[in-house]
Amino acid sequence: MALNGFVEFFQKGKTFRPKKRFSPGTLRYSLHKQAQASLNSGINLRAVVKLPPGEEMNDWIAVHVVDFFNRINLIYGTVAEYCIETSCPTMSGGPKFEYLWADGNKYKKPTPLPAPQYVLLLMDWIETQINNETLFPVSTDVPFPKTFLALCRKILTRLFRVFVHVYIHHFDRIVAIGAEPHVNTCYKHFYYFVTEFDLVGARELEPLQEMTSRICHDPTPPPESNSQSAGS
């Protein structure tokens, strides 16, 4: 499913919050456009996530973190009116998985929260990180901080939890509005990206393991001599 169809589909309804955009003329903007064009062409999603030859891995990851933040906001926006404190008193993914919130600020210790409150705090926290130019530099003249990859791992791990909650607790709503193919495409793209660069741990991916094995069938592209991975 082409991404432009996905975005048009969700923009007809409510969005959870304003989109974060890249400024035209910047390297991040051109990489963002490159990533979007690859998706729109409908080619193998597992191939789409690979680092383009000659590009810096941190730039590629920064662009995707912002894009996934925007898209998962759109997805959550479609179920937000059904995700309320009475129906979702915990941020969970079924009976086996519950996510606690900690931000080192107001919530210094991991704290159980209702799902809508958890997601609201999470999206506020991510927005603060990606709008901080010392953490996510806008200009290529400004180097990425040494903590950049660790921060991206934390952001993407927490965003994955939104997928878990939506799929396990609100999938009937996704199906009812005809969004299942769009959400599945976004999930596959996210899954291939985070596994390509080792950005979300296997244990975190466990709640959606069964669904992942069902929908993620894109063949692995042949390795290229100039491909890189994030390491541990």
Side-chain angles (χ1 to χ4, degrees):
M1 189 66 65
L3 182 70
N4 55 357
F6 169 86
V7 173
E8 281 166 20
F9 180 90
F10 284 113
Q11 283 178 343
K12 289 173 187 169
K14 291 186 292 186
T15 54
F16 189 49
R17 59 183 57 220
K19 285 183 75 174
K20 158 84 174 171
R21 299 185 187 278
F22 293 99
S23 302
T26 63
L27 173 70
R28 304 283 188 301
Y29 181 78
S30 64
L31 278 177
H32 163 73
K33 285 295 176 195
Q34 188 175 335
Q36 303 290 61
S38 297
L39 276 177
N40 287 340
S41 67
I43 62 170
N44 181 322
L45 280 169
R46 206 190 288 265
V48 159
V49 300
K50 290 199 166 292
L51 181 67
E55 298 296 352
E56 286 294 325
M57 189 175 69
N58 282 349
D59 287 318
W60 190 237
I61 289 175
V63 163
H64 281 80
V65 166
V66 173
D67 275 356
F68 289 135
F69 169 69
N70 286 332
R71 277 182 243 158
I72 292 167
N73 268 318
L74 288 173
I75 290 170
Y76 186 75
T78 66
V79 302
E81 64 188 289
Y82 299 88
C83 185
I84 55 178
E85 293 194 11
T86 49
S87 66
C88 302
T90 59
M91 180 60 179
S92 60
K96 284 167 61 178
F97 300 94
E98 181 181 353
Y99 302 117
L100 307 180
W101 179 253
D103 55 19
N105 187 15
K106 184 179 176 185
Y107 295 91
K108 291 188 168 53
K109 292 181 180 176
T111 307
L113 294 173
Q117 191 181 349
Y118 182 105
V119 176
L120 188 66
L121 288 169
L122 169 59
M123 297 306 180
D124 283 345
W125 175 78
I126 295 174
E127 208 162 30
T128 301
Q129 310 307 307
I130 62 180
N131 286 326
N132 182 336
E133 293 185 15
T134 62
L135 300 175
F136 272 71
V138 174
S139 165
T140 47
D141 300 337
V142 180
F144 284 93
K146 289 178 181 171
T147 55
F148 178 72
L149 269 183
L151 174 61
C152 289
R153 283 193 177 96
K154 186 177 259 192
I155 290 172
L156 293 167
T157 296
R158 288 175 164 184
L159 280 175
F160 182 79
R161 294 169 181 179
V162 180
F163 268 128
V164 172
H165 184 75
V166 168
Y167 267 117
I168 291 176
H169 295 279
H170 301 291
F171 196 61
D172 54 343
R173 168 65 183 163
I174 296 292
V175 171
I177 60 173
E180 183 183 356
H182 305 279
V183 176
N184 285 350
T185 297
C186 185
Y187 174 77
K188 283 171 69 173
H189 186 218
F190 181 96
Y191 176 80
Y192 289 140
F193 187 81
V194 299
T195 51
E196 169 74 13
F197 297 103
D198 188 23
L199 295 166
V200 176
R203 193 172 167 201
E204 284 283 346
L205 297 171
E206 205 179 301
L208 296 181
Q209 202 168 16
E210 193 181 323
M211 188 201 71
T212 303
S213 63
R214 201 172 69 244
I215 70 170
C216 294
H217 295 306
D218 296 58
T220 305
E224 294 177 28
S225 57
N226 55 11
S227 65
Q228 299 176 31
S229 68
S232 60

